């Protein structure tokens, strides 16, 4: 399974055991969290976790690292070595190869490179350049900083410019700043990326204005023109923007956003509020949360809201709907809402026992009935055709599909008829009919169409 780093962290936080059934977990897309990978490794063991790296321009990923052990003092996880038919170069501004341990721009070459950007010739010419190390070939300048390790693996350092990736999305900080400056009362604005202890990146907006503006107001204004992933998690209003001697914003002098948001701290007053505050602190990674603090002003987002709902269900036995996190966004409001919701014990969905025949669900019965209607025999088919070039090793080809079916139980069921027109259940004993044909080029389309048969 291939997932983004942000989603990987969420799964590890919620229940790392949910990954036990997977043969391999590939994750990447942004800076790795060593603590999350360490926790996953403890639960899953070596040989199953792969940290991958690669921009979309190189077709999903270009390097891979098998996570089999993590040093006690590790501050990052390598992105590994180039995959097959891929070459990696780490160069300086003059396209000179960097030695081991020296950071430079990571460039990708090989069969996986895209042809360029659609209708953006200038950007294509800037990013997809001639490969100085392999005449006649191209390489892609990623804009990422990386360095070689003595063992031949690659360590990701960061972005060269202000273009960042958060939760799998590539974001231009300057674009967010431009939209902030469009707000009438805002005078100056800067957006930075801060990293939590867990390695999660968050957008933080700092601004000065002629009047007091709440984070809620700014989020509402920005959400009219920007997608959700470009809305900063924190908005901090300053009396004046700290500047360097050169007149530029001194980003190092910007205060931690948590300090500004929790100036008016109101402690929990009831046992329920104390329990919620403890859950919020762990989900948000904060040392202290007041009952009047807004979940989303403190850096909450949809993924964290999902984790929060799961934790509340597990620890308080209350199944709070996800939408209620948005409606009751403070501990005070949420505690009142939980008092109105009936308790519902948390229980994991157990794996069904092995049986010869399983009863059909209502949805499966409906599918069977619809299938009996004239003209609806193939309504739920999702046919597809793929051209294979070269000799096909039939035994290996069939075995690959058998393993695929064995791993995904939802692909296995075959309906079992109790009578001529009544469906009583489904069985896992199912064989896939195989046939190999080599039609002429002109007859391929007709042959493919004739092979699409009803499901039942």
């Amino acid at each position: 399974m291939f997932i983004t780093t942000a989603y990987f962290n969420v799964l590890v936080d919620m229940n790392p055991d949910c990954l036990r059934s997977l043969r391999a977990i590939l994750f990447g897309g942004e800076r790795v969290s060593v603590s999350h990978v360490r926790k996953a490794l403890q639960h899953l063991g070596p040989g199953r976790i792969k940290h991958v790296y690669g921009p979309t321009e190189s077709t999903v990923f270009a390097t891979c690292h098998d996570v089999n052990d993590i040093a006690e003092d590790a501050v990052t996880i390598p992105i590994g070595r180039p995959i097959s038919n891929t070459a990696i170069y780490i160069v300086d501004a003059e396209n000179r190869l960097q030695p081991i341990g020296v950071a430079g721009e990571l460039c990708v070459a090989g069969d996986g490179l895209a042809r360029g950007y659609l209708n953006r010739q200038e950007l294509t010419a800037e990013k997809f350049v001639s490969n100085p190390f392999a005449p006649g070939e191209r390489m892609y300048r990623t804009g990422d900083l990386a360095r070689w390790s003595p063992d031949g693996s690659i360590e990701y350092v960061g972005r060269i410019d202000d273009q960042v990736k958060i939760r799998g999305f590539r974001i231009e900080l300057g674009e967010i700043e431009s939209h902030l400056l469009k707000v009438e009362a805002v005078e100056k604005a800067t957006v930075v990326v801060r990293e939590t202890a867990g390695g999660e990146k968050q957008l933080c907006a700092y601004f000065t204005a002629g009047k007091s503006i709440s984070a809620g107001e700014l989020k509402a204004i920005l959400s009219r023109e920007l997608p959700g992933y470009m809305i900063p998690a924190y908005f901090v209003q300053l009396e004046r923007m700290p500047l360097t001697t050169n007149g530029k914003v001194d980003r190092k002098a910007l205060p931690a956003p948590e300090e500004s948001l929790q100036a008016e701290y109101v402690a929990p007053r009831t046992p329920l509020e104390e329990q919620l505050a403890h859950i919020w602190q762990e989900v948000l990674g904060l040392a202290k949360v007041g009952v009047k603090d807004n979940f989303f002003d403190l850096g909450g987002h949809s993924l964290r809201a999902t984790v929060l709902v799961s934790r509340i269900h597990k620890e308080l036995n209350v199944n709070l709907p996800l939408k209620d996190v948005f409606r009751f966004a403070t501990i005070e409001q949420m505690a009142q809402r939980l008092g109105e919701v009936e308790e519902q014990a948390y229980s994991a969905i157990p794996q069904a026992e092995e049986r010869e025949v399983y009863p059909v669900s209502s949805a499966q019965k409906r599918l069977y009935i619809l299938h009996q209607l004239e003209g609806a025999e193939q309504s739920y088919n999702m046919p597809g055709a793929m051209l294979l070039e070269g000799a096909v090793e039939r035994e290996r080809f069939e075995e690959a599909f058998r393993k695929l079916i064995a791993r995904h139980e939802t692909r296995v069921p075959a309906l079992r008829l109790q009578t001529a027109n009544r469906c009583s259940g489904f069985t896992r004993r199912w064989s896939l009919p195989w046939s190999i044909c080599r039609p002429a080029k002109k007859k391929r389309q007709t042959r493919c169409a004739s092979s699409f048969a009803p499901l039942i």
Side-chain angles (χ1 to χ4, degrees), residues 88-137:
I88 298 294
Y89 307 98
I90 297 178
V91 301
D92 62 11
E94 304 298 327
N95 275 346
R96 293 173 298 195
L97 294 174
Q98 298 287 61
I100 293 173
V102 179
E105 183 176 11
L106 191 154
C107 299
V108 183
D111 294 344
L113 281 192
R115 286 181 288 181
Y117 301 103
L118 183 63
N119 298 327
R120 302 187 69 181
Q121 295 181 357
E122 292 184 2
L123 185 60
T124 298
E126 177 187 347
K127 294 293 186 180
F128 292 86
V129 299
S130 297
N131 188 342
F133 313 106
E137 297 184 8

Side-chain angles (χ1 to χ4, degrees), residues 354-429:
E354 292 283 342
R355 298 175 59 178
E356 179 67 24
V357 178
Y358 298 85
V360 292
S361 65
S362 298
Q364 289 167 329
K365 288 180 180 178
R366 174 180 176 274
L367 178 62
Y368 175 71
I369 293 172
L370 290 175
H371 178 269
Q372 305 306 306
L373 301 177
E374 185 177 354
E377 297 90 347
Q378 299 184 30
S379 298
Y380 284 82
N381 280 27
M382 296 179 65
M386 182 178 294
L387 176 65
L388 298 180
E389 297 181 353
V392 177
E393 296 183 38
R394 175 166 179 159
E395 292 184 1
R396 295 182 63 188
F397 187 75
E398 292 183 10
E399 181 63 21
F401 270 87
R402 289 194 189 97
K403 289 184 176 180
L404 176 67
I405 292 169
R407 285 183 53 79
H408 299 278
E409 293 187 348
T410 56
R411 300 181 186 274
V412 175
L415 291 175
R416 173 175 174 176
L417 302 182
Q418 185 175 17
T419 61
N421 59 359
R422 184 179 177 187
C423 176
S424 63
F426 64 85
T427 176
R428 294 179 61 185
R429 289 191 176 183

Side-chain angles (χ1 to χ4, degrees), residues 121-383:
Q121 295 181 357
E122 292 184 2
L123 185 60
T124 298
E126 177 187 347
K127 294 293 186 180
F128 292 86
V129 299
S130 297
N131 188 342
F133 313 106
E137 297 184 8
R138 301 177 308 144
M139 71 178 188
Y140 172 72
R141 306 185 70 94
T142 66
D144 288 329
L145 282 174
R147 54 177 166 241
W148 290 103
S149 298
D151 63 356
S153 63
I154 303 168
E155 179 183 340
Y156 175 80
V157 176
R159 290 292 298 171
I160 291 177
D161 50 26
D162 285 337
Q163 189 184 63
V164 296
K165 285 186 76 174
I166 295 181
R167 304 208 302 274
F169 296 101
R170 189 169 292 179
I171 298 170
E172 292 281 359
L173 300 182
E175 186 176 353
I176 304 174
E177 294 172 357
S178 298
H179 281 83
L180 271 173
L181 292 171
K182 288 167 62 177
V183 179
E184 186 177 351
V186 174
E187 298 168 348
K188 295 181 179 180
T190 187
V191 178
V192 301
V193 176
R194 288 188 177 270
E195 211 168 283
T196 66
E200 182 182 1
K201 292 179 181 177
Q202 294 182 320
L203 293 174
C204 303
Y206 297 85
F207 67 96
T208 60
K211 63 176 184 179
S212 177
I213 307 177
S214 68
E217 289 180 75
L218 289 175
K219 284 187 177 182
I221 294 171
L222 292 181
S223 62
R224 297 172 193 163
E225 299 185 34
L226 296 176
Y229 60 84
M230 292 185 71
I231 307 298
Y234 299 103
F235 290 86
V236 180
Q237 185 166 356
L238 305 173
E239 292 185 7
R240 60 192 180 104
M241 198 71 70
L243 303 176
T244 65
T245 54
N246 296 327
K248 298 181 179 180
V249 175
D250 187 355
R251 296 172 182 262
K252 294 181 180 179
L254 294 170
E258 297 87 350
E259 298 173 3
S260 303
L261 291 171
Q262 299 180 2
E264 299 178 4
Y265 173 75
V266 178
R269 298 154 297 192
T270 65
L272 180 57
E273 288 183 348
E274 288 181 358
Q275 288 178 294
L276 282 175
H278 176 71
I279 295 173
W280 278 39
Q281 287 168 204
E282 293 193 348
V283 171
L284 295 170
L286 300 175
K288 184 172 66 174
V289 177
V291 298
K292 295 186 180 294
D293 292 329
N294 186 288
F295 179 79
F296 298 98
D297 289 347
L298 294 179
H301 47 67
S302 57
L303 284 177
R304 284 182 165 179
T306 303
V307 175
L308 178 67
V309 167
S310 176
R311 290 287 302 276
I312 290 174
H313 196 185
K314 285 183 179 179
E315 299 184 22
L316 303 181
N317 287 324
V318 177
N319 189 10
L320 183 72
L322 182 62
K323 64 180 181 181
D324 281 356
V325 179
F326 295 85
R327 294 172 58 197
F328 309 99
T330 67
I331 290 178
E332 184 179 50
Q333 295 171 337
M334 194 171 287
Q336 293 176 356
R337 175 57 179 159
L338 290 178
E340 301 169 357
V341 180
E342 294 184 5
E343 287 193 7
Q344 180 180 341
Y346 175 84
S347 60
I349 300 175
Q351 183 176 357
E353 60 181 9
E354 292 283 342
R355 298 175 59 178
E356 179 67 24
V357 178
Y358 298 85
V360 292
S361 65
S362 298
Q364 289 167 329
K365 288 180 180 178
R366 174 180 176 274
L367 178 62
Y368 175 71
I369 293 172
L370 290 175
H371 178 269
Q372 305 306 306
L373 301 177
E374 185 177 354
E377 297 90 347
Q378 299 184 30
S379 298
Y380 284 82
N381 280 27
M382 296 179 65

